[in-house]
Amino acid sequence: MKKNLVVVGYGGMGGGFHVKHAQSSDVVNLLGVYDIDEAKNELARSRGIFAYASLDEVLADERVDLITVAVPNDSHLDIVKRALEAGKSVICEKPVAMSVAELDEMIEAANKSGQIFSVHQNRRFDVDFLAIKKIVEDGKIGKPLRIESRIHGSRGIPSDWRGEKKHGGGMILDWGVHLIDQLLQIYKEPIKSIYCTVTNITNKEVDDGFYLTVTFESGAEAFIEVGTYNFIPLPRFYMKAEKGTALISDWRECAKVVKCKYWHESEVIPVETAAGLTKTMAPRDSITVEEWSEERPQSDVHNYYRNFCAAMDGTATQMVTHKEMRLVMRVMELAFLSAEKGTPVPYED
Ligand code: NAD
């Protein structure tokens, strides 16, 4: 049976994503929305959607099984806890909280209530991420030595709460949370250290971009960069692996893979460049490398709610676990600490 859903926060993500997807969902039935801004409730009503008068009214409605929280980051804690205490299951938008301490309070409330609680990590369904993950899992070019994941835009931070620290603004908590979660789905190994530097080009209060290196105990590295002042974007994913290289230039493109077939130093013919000869940079040919492009994976973002509802029924494990939520939150906390100190910091739970 479909779960009765209320979306709290009828803004960009609440209205533009959760309500729209709920209206075409095979697992949830949208009962209504609630927004603290009465104009947003009126807007919902004008579109034929029921809008509650208060959060208390939502929580007192016994028909409600599930609440999705899509409000600015600093308001997640209060609403998540109240919803769980009222006996509702909760999907919270990312970043689930502003700190590990806040998240622990939420997890405690979930454990006490016995309700399902998770964070909306919808970018696990991005086809570019699924493509790079598949290349790693197929193992054709061996284990990754370093994966670089980048998002480059040129419009700065949106001029809303995202530009203010007290609301949990900045790019680490915005795009960073997605990109960290994605790479930790690929590297399931212990983290050794975190090194992060931030940019403040268009916003002095919060990071408008960052460079983050996560070093694992094995020596492998994940590098994440978000930039909001990049008028020429760098490729979305670049992976250096034991036996080759993979590149995804843009989320709309297929992955290009080059595998080293033949490694023979003595047969390299030097090439002439403007200022001299080089063997090191001599190009490869089809005898020494194999090159192909990977088909784009299929993805259905409705699977997030399908999984969550199955977890409510006890027929599946929730896709984004509390442990994973905590790990991503901790990496972000240490990224802020590293940026503040200007040095790498060891990973500690
Ligand atoms: P937004 O500013 O467009 O909308 C937020 C809405 O919440 C507004 O309508 C506001 O009036 C309402 N609101 C604020 N405080 C409230 C409260 N206490 N109770 C009820 N309503 C309240 O912001 P947004 O872009 O929709 O972002 C909301 C959340 O979704 C954030 O946590 C953000 O990080 C997340 N988000 C996730 C994705 C994703 O891809 N998963 C994308 C965008 C935003």
Side-chain angles (χ1 to χ4, degrees), residues 13-238:
M13 201 55 190
F17 185 97
H18 291 286
V19 164
K20 276 199 181 137
H21 281 77
Q23 286 167 333
S24 61
S25 170
D26 47 22
V27 290
V28 297
N29 164 47
L30 182 72
L31 283 184
V33 300
Y34 165 66
D35 198 290
I36 203 164
D37 178 355
E38 193 43 34
K40 294 284 174 65
N41 292 327
E42 275 307 317
L43 178 65
R45 290 180 193 118
S46 75
R47 293 172 174 166
I49 297 162
F50 179 78
Y52 288 80
S54 66
L55 182 62
D56 284 336
E57 196 189 358
V58 177
L59 302 182
D61 185 343
E62 286 183 358
R63 296 170 305 155
V64 179
D65 304 306
L66 162 63
I67 292 178
T68 291
V69 179
V71 302
N73 303 339
D74 58 322
S75 298
H76 291 181
L77 177 64
D78 179 53
I79 301 174
V80 166
K81 274 176 66 182
R82 284 174 65 191
L84 288 166
E85 282 160 11
K88 317 296 184 191
S89 284
V90 176
I91 293 173
C92 182
E93 259 306 338
K94 51 52 50 171
V96 61
M98 308 260 281
S99 63
V100 173
E102 273 194 14
L103 174 58
D104 282 346
E105 280 189 48
M106 296 173 174
I107 292 173
E108 198 189 326
N111 289 343
K112 267 193 194 149
S113 71
Q115 299 299 315
I116 302 295
F117 161 57
S118 194
V119 60
H120 189 229
Q121 286 294 8
N122 50 316
R123 292 198 174 276
R124 289 195 188 180
F125 295 95
D126 280 358
V127 287
D128 47 20
F129 159 66
L130 291 172
I132 204 85
K133 185 165 179 275
K134 184 168 178 293
I135 293 168
V136 174
E137 286 167 358
D138 283 352
K140 288 184 202 151
I141 57 169
K143 280 196 186 144
L145 304 172
R146 176 175 166 99
I147 301 179
E148 298 181 7
S149 168
R150 286 189 177 82
I151 291 287
H152 280 169
S154 62
R155 295 178 177 277
I157 299 184
S159 55
D160 56 14
W161 57 267
R162 284 175 182 77
E164 293 175 35
K165 202 176 171 66
K166 66 172 186 224
H167 294 302
M171 282 297 129
I172 293 179
L173 290 172
D174 191 20
W175 268 96
V177 66
H178 286 299
L179 304 190
I180 294 165
D181 180 69
Q182 286 181 342
L183 286 189
L184 294 180
Q185 287 298 298
I186 294 179
Y187 291 98
K188 302 216 171 185
E189 47 178 301
I191 298 173
K192 188 173 172 208
S193 65
I194 307 281
Y195 181 47
C196 182
T197 56
V198 299
T199 61
N200 293 97
I201 305 165
T202 61
N203 188 307
K204 304 294 171 210
E205 190 175 327
V206 296
D207 68 291
D208 56 28
F210 65 89
Y211 307 89
L212 169 68
T213 302
V214 180
T215 306
F216 297 91
E217 294 286 357
S218 67
E221 281 181 355
F223 175 77
I224 296 169
E225 181 186 344
V226 173
T228 54
Y229 200 70
N230 296 66
F231 296 87
I232 302 175
L234 281 170
R236 174 72 186 88
F237 279 109
Y238 183 84

